[in-house]
């Protein structure tokens, strides 16, 4: 092999190795920032089709309904703890150390994003509440088995009637 061909081969191999290293670093970065969506039942029992359960320390998003009567507030801080359930009967505990959204109430749909700290316990970094009476995030609606229906504004009701 002549020196010119050897130099080209070395350059091509170095280029391929460099591209592979960059691709692997990108995939690693994307994987560590991935937020998977789970329902409370999937956290407790695993996904139906694959049986995959989230691992302790994994960042996830959970969607469901806030269980009525489950909210406990610390009077000296912003710490709040509440249960989230779904139609299949699964329930997890969510802890949150910040201000809850104004529309957050027991018995309504939410999506909480955070880290699974123990089996069935999520330490939330963000809590999102639905923004009107019939809206539910698509992932939550699909997981809960509900369909999206439009509000019926008959008999003189306006969109603003539901706001306080």
């Amino acid at each position: 092999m002549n020196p010119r061909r050897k130099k080209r081969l070395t350059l091509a191999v170095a280029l391929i190795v460099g591209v592979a290293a960059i691709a692997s670093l990108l995939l690693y970065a994307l994987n560590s920032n991935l937020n998977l969506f789970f329902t409370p039942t999937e956290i407790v029992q695993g996904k139906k089709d694959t049986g995959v359960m989230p691992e302790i320390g994994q960042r996830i998003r959970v969607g469901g309904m806030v269980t009525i009567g489950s909210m406990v507030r610390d009077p000296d801080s912003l710490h709040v703890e509440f249960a989230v359930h779904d139609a299949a009967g699964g329930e997890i505990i969510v802890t949150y150390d910040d201000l809850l959204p104004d529309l957050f109430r027991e018995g309504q749909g939410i999506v909480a994003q955070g880290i699974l700290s123990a089996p069935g316990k999520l330490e939330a970094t963000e809590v999102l509440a639905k923004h009107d009476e019939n809206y539910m995030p698509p992932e939550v609606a699909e997981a809960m088995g509900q369909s999206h229906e439009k509000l019926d504004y008959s008999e003189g009701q306006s969109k603003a009637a539901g706001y306080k």
Side-chain angles (χ1 to χ4, degrees):
M1 183 181 291
N2 67 21
R4 188 174 193 188
R5 211 176 252 183
K6 189 174 183 178
K7 187 175 182 179
R8 283 184 187 168
L9 182 62
T10 304
L11 183 62
V13 169
L15 185 64
I16 291 171
V17 169
V19 168
I22 290 171
S24 63
L25 288 174
L26 281 172
L27 288 174
Y28 176 75
L30 290 174
N31 192 27
S32 65
N33 289 328
L34 189 63
N35 288 326
L36 299 176
F37 180 81
F38 289 90
T39 64
T41 300
E42 292 172 341
I43 291 174
V44 174
Q45 299 174 0
K47 293 222 181 226
K48 283 184 182 179
D49 52 350
T50 61
V52 173
M53 294 177 65
E55 298 174 7
I56 304 299
Q58 182 178 356
R59 269 181 31 174
I60 61 172
R61 289 174 39 199
V62 177
M65 305 293 280
V66 178
T67 304
I68 295 174
S70 67
M71 190 161 52
V72 178
R73 291 182 185 265
D74 183 1
D76 299 328
S77 69
L78 295 176
H79 182 80
V80 65
E81 187 172 294
F82 55 91
V84 175
H85 70 277
D86 60 5
E91 185 173 86
I92 65 159
I93 303 297
V94 177
T95 60
Y96 188 58
D97 291 322
D98 205 351
L99 291 172
L100 288 168
D102 290 338
L103 297 175
F104 180 91
R105 288 177 187 76
E106 292 179 337
Q108 84 175 49
I110 62 135
V111 174
Q113 180 174 312
I115 296 172
L116 193 65
S117 61
K121 190 164 188 177
L122 180 81
E123 289 182 14
T125 56
E126 183 178 23
V127 174
L128 305 172
K130 65 181 183 175
H131 69 276
D132 84 357
E133 294 175 9
N134 286 343
Y135 175 78
M136 186 175 291
E139 297 161 323
V140 176
E142 182 181 323
M144 299 281 294
Q146 298 176 358
S147 63
H148 293 278
E149 296 177 9
K150 292 186 177 181
L151 268 169
D152 181 19
Y153 295 112
S154 59
E155 299 179 19
Q157 287 183 333
S158 69
K159 285 187 176 184
Y163 295 106
K164 294 181 181 179

